[in-house]
Amino acid sequence: MEKKIILTAVLFGFFAIVLGAFGAHALKKVLNEAQLSSFEIGVKYLMYHALFLLYLGTTQLLIPEQKTPIYYLTLFGTILFSGSIFLLTTSTATGLNFKFLGPITPIGGLLLLGAWFWLFVNILKK
């Protein structure tokens, strides 16, 4: 499980850098300031949770069975949160309507909160 967690962290970090550069250069020309700011929030949370997963994958405070639910909450939470932000903020540039994803962003946020809470509870039990 640790290898899967660390590989996911590496992918999240990689995509955070790629999307951050894309936003800073290519999207700066086609998005307004509010859209660009939202896009950057998606990038930041992607990177924050890459680092979170690196910690999760390497910590010895938890056993693999405790890491599994935290991993999945983080994985799906990040995809829903950051992914929906990326699609929503670029919809004017792509011409695609992703407004239906609006409710997905807070669901992703709740999953991320759940991951952090579950980590807290498991460490508290030690």
Side-chain angles (χ1 to χ4, degrees):
M1 180 49 116
E2 281 84 3
K3 183 177 178 180
K4 180 191 280 189
I5 295 170
I6 292 170
L7 287 173
T8 303
V10 170
L11 285 174
F12 277 10
F14 176 84
F15 284 113
I17 292 168
V18 168
L19 290 168
F22 181 67
H25 299 288
L27 293 180
K28 199 174 228 181
K29 301 171 186 169
V30 295
L31 299 182
N32 64 39
E33 285 187 42
Q35 292 168 320
L36 196 55
S37 177
S38 292
F39 189 88
E40 289 172 0
I41 289 171
V43 170
K44 287 177 185 178
Y45 275 74
L46 184 58
M47 182 56 83
Y48 296 155
H49 289 91
L51 298 173
F52 179 77
L53 287 174
L54 277 177
Y55 167 76
L56 182 66
T58 58
T59 187
Q60 299 301 311
L61 289 173
L62 304 173
I63 60 173
E65 292 78 20
Q66 293 171 314
K67 292 179 181 185
T68 300
I70 298 168
Y71 167 73
Y72 284 111
L73 286 167
T74 306
L75 174 68
F76 294 119
T78 303
I79 290 169
L80 293 178
F81 184 82
S82 291
S84 64
I85 288 175
F86 297 145
L87 293 172
L88 286 165
T89 57
T90 59
S91 62
T92 56
T94 62
L96 301 172
N97 184 357
F98 291 111
K99 289 185 181 182
F100 68 94
L101 292 176
I104 298 298
T105 309
I107 292 170
L110 286 173
L111 292 175
L112 292 172
L113 286 171
W116 285 92
F117 180 74
W118 199 242
L119 175 65
F120 176 81
V121 167
N122 280 289
I123 291 174
L124 190 63
K125 286 182 188 178
K126 287 261 174 210

